[in-house]
Amino acid sequence: MIVVKDLKKQYNGLQVLKGVNLTINKGDVVCLVGPSGCGKSTFLRCLNRLEEPDGGTVTLDGKEITEKDIDAVRAKMGMVFQHFNLFPHLTVRKNITLAPVKLKRMSQKEADQTALKLLERIGLADKADSYPNMLSGGQKQRIAIVRALAMNPEVLLFDEPTSALDPEMVGEVLELMKELAHSGMTMVVVTHEMGFAREVANRVIFIDEGKVQVDKPPQEFFKDPENPRLKAFLSKVL
Amino acid sequence: MASLAEQFEVLSGLAKSGAHLSFGQDFFVKFYQAFLLSNRWQQYIEGVGTTLVVTAIALIIGVILGGVVALVRTAHDQQRHSHRNFLLGVVNQICKIYTTVIRGTPMMVQLLIMGMVVFASSRNFTVVGALTLGINSGAYVSEIIRGGLMGVDPGQMEAGRSLGLNYMTTMVTIVIPQAVKSILPALGNEFIILLKDTSLITVIGGKELLYAAQGVMNRTYEAMFPLLGTAVIYLILVMIFTWLLGKLEGRLRQSDRR
């Protein structure tokens, strides 16, 4: 579904991605882990071109993603950010319905109904008319996920979705992500939550030095790591 | 008791014949000359009217011009390095030249050039003045708006774009509404500067408040009262608008707390 070939990215001469190759299949739940600064967030942001790669290609459903048709591609690739990035001047309902309505996917009425259904699913229907700054971090992030879902994306990208949350709120967000994974959503998740990676992902990928070092199912990934860098990394985080 | 007009006749007659007037009498004569004689106060009122109209026109021109320039420059700066739009680059250069020239030359010189060179044949000095002020203000307003746009968390633009919205839609529905709150106070300040700067259009014959005061000065050979009066009127106007802007800001902040 998503095929990444030889993806390269540098910032001011610092080579962050040194040629990443990766194939993500439909229904995959891929967790990207690695030490901070290893380029996993950069890699994720190169997928929907929030960062512009310096080299290599990303194809979605056999079509190369370029700057020209990027808006259409992004509509199919939802993204969830570390800092939620909800629109503070709009109500929760408007946050969710803005893109589907502006892109003429739905009428305002249909979008409102979809939004309400999605909010009911996460138990936040009563917050539809609230503004983001009235919500807790966990609620904000769940609504950010729902906002991405409202576009009916083929794949969801998560950029450290629980890193900015208070510890007691991490659970509710992970729970929703788990539910999504079980419903068959294709997900690429940059995370530090090893428990989630172990339990929910079908592939865990270790990125270091700007390259994919290990790509294995979670059982093998965590059990006996051969890669010395992964060994060192896991000994620190587990 | 004699009416003010009669008193003025008597005292000014005395003064002309060389008699020495007391401080109070002198004050009265000059004040009467400056504001009351042949209903001169009406000229000041008309001047204030023109001042306000010119300010309003200049502000509208300034905000529109400034908004366009700010959008062009922000859009240009936020382009991808490998996908630069040539046309946008050209327009951006024009905008840059505009702000550089306008901010780099004195307002008075701009007024004289517009009044005596560009629109030398126009008799409508007030409109030319308002236009010049608007063009001048636009350069400053563009920087205010640009600052406001850049002050919005870049994550907001990313979130909008990641949903598939294009640059313009994201700008209009997400970034600009959030920028307005930080732009308004600075814009209010610009408005007050503009209000006071309208006095400059006198140099090309714009008939605003200071022009009225000068008219009176030329007839009475007495500068103090018309000028002090003008200063007081400007001060009062600015105080009124400062107060109004304060109220507006307070209301905007209220919506923050929600």
Side-chain angles (χ1 to χ4, degrees), chain B residues 8 13 22-23 39 44 62 65 76 80 88 94 97 110 129 180 194 207 212 232 239 251 253:
Chain B
F8 172 74
S22 75
F23 175 76
N39 282 336
Y44 293 93
L65 212 51
H76 179 267
R80 287 279 153 89
L88 191 58
I94 295 172
I97 293 169
Q110 291 167 18
V180 165
L194 203 51
K207 294 178 184 51
V232 168
M239 283 167 71
R251 190 166 301 171
R253 229 174 296 134

Side-chain angles (χ1 to χ4, degrees), chain A residues 45 48-52 67 70-71 74-75 77 79 81 85-89 98-99 102-103 131 133-134 147-148 151, chain B residues 80-83 153-167 169 173-175 177-178 255-258:
Chain A
R45 291 161 59 83
N48 66 351
R49 293 184 81 90
L50 282 184
E51 302 288 349
E52 195 183 9
E67 198 66 27
I70 190 63
D71 291 332
R74 284 185 182 140
M77 276 185 162
M79 181 140 189
F81 299 87
N85 297 355
L86 290 177
F87 309 131
H89 61 301
L98 180 74
K102 286 278 169 205
L103 294 172
Y131 284 88
N133 60 4
M134 300 165 72
R147 177 176 71 180
M151 286 300 290
Chain B
R80 287 279 153 89
H81 288 282
S82 60
H83 293 85
D153 173 14
Q156 293 290 312
M157 176 57 86
E158 288 186 350
R161 297 304 307 273
S162 79
L163 287 164
L165 301 172
N166 64 28
Y167 181 82
T169 311
T173 58
I174 293 164
V175 177
Q178 293 182 59
S255 69
D256 257 353
R257 278 185 225 115
R258 267 193 285 255

Side-chain angles (χ1 to χ4, degrees), chain A residues 96-111:
Chain A
I96 299 170
T97 59
L98 180 74
V101 172
K102 286 278 169 205
L103 294 172
K104 304 205 161 47
R105 294 287 183 88
M106 302 176 195
S107 67
Q108 182 69 48
K109 213 176 140 208
E110 286 170 320

Side-chain angles (χ1 to χ4, degrees), chain B residues 46-48 50-51 123 125-126 201-202 205-209 211-212:
Chain B
E46 276 167 33
V48 169
T50 310
T51 292
R123 302 280 90 192
F125 307 118
T126 311
I201 72 171
T202 295
K207 294 178 184 51
E208 46 67 69
L209 181 54
Y211 188 87

Side-chain angles (χ1 to χ4, degrees), chain B:
Chain B
M1 198 180 111
S3 76
L4 288 176
E6 284 162 14
Q7 267 191 39
F8 172 74
E9 287 303 323
V10 173
L11 287 173
S12 62
L14 271 175
K16 268 180 205 146
S17 65
H20 184 73
L21 297 180
S22 75
F23 175 76
Q25 289 169 328
D26 188 48
F27 186 99
F28 169 76
V29 169
K30 286 178 177 165
F31 185 88
Y32 191 90
Q33 259 184 354
F35 299 112
L36 301 176
L37 188 65
S38 39
N39 282 336
R40 280 180 182 152
W41 55 272
Q42 287 177 344
Q43 296 178 34
Y44 293 93
I45 298 287
E46 276 167 33
V48 169
T50 310
T51 292
L52 291 177
V53 171
V54 168
T55 308
I57 296 174
L59 190 75
I60 292 168
I61 297 174
V63 168
I64 293 173
L65 212 51
V68 170
V69 171
L71 274 179
V72 167
R73 296 209 47 199
T74 311
H76 179 267
D77 290 350
Q78 289 179 347
Q79 276 184 113
R80 287 279 153 89
H81 288 282
S82 60
H83 293 85
R84 291 198 174 278
N85 183 324
F86 178 73
L87 187 66
L88 191 58
V90 173
V91 180
N92 180 61
Q93 274 309 317
I94 295 172
C95 289
K96 264 175 135 170
I97 293 169
Y98 160 70
T99 45
T100 307
V101 169
I102 295 295
R103 297 202 300 168
T105 53
M107 169 96 93
M108 183 79 100
V109 176
Q110 291 167 18
L111 272 167
L112 290 171
I113 290 173
M114 286 289 270
M116 300 178 161
V117 182
V118 182
F119 294 105
S121 58
S122 166
R123 302 280 90 192
N124 209 337
F125 307 118
T126 311
V127 173
V128 172
L131 182 68
T132 313
L133 283 179
I135 292 172
N136 180 282
S137 178
Y140 294 92
V141 170
S142 77
E143 290 299 290
I144 293 172
I145 296 181
R146 206 160 70 90
L149 292 176
M150 292 195 306
V152 175
D153 173 14
Q156 293 290 312
M157 176 57 86
E158 288 186 350
R161 297 304 307 273
S162 79
L163 287 164
L165 301 172
N166 64 28
Y167 181 82
M168 237 14 218
T169 311
T170 311
M171 208 61 182
V172 171
T173 58
I174 293 164
V175 177
I176 292 177
Q178 293 182 59
V180 165
K181 224 176 271 179
S182 55
I183 290 171
L184 271 186
L187 210 53
N189 195 37
E190 176 65 22
F191 171 72
I192 284 168
I193 292 171
L194 203 51
L195 178 74
K196 291 183 292 179
D197 280 353
T198 53
S199 61
L200 291 173
I201 72 171
T202 295
V203 298
I204 58 165
K207 294 178 184 51
E208 46 67 69
L209 181 54
L210 186 59
Y211 188 87
Q214 282 185 333
V216 174
M217 276 158 61
N218 290 341
R219 237 160 291 143
T220 60
Y221 304 108
E222 183 53 56
M224 186 171 85
F225 282 94
L227 288 180
L228 284 185
T230 303
V232 168
I233 295 170
Y234 269 115
L235 184 62
I236 291 171
L237 286 176
V238 168
M239 283 167 71
I240 292 174
F241 284 115
T242 309
W243 177 72
L244 285 174
L245 285 167
K247 291 206 97 176
L248 180 70
E249 237 180 278
R251 190 166 301 171
L252 279 175
R253 229 174 296 134
Q254 242 171 23
S255 69
D256 257 353
R257 278 185 225 115
R258 267 193 285 255

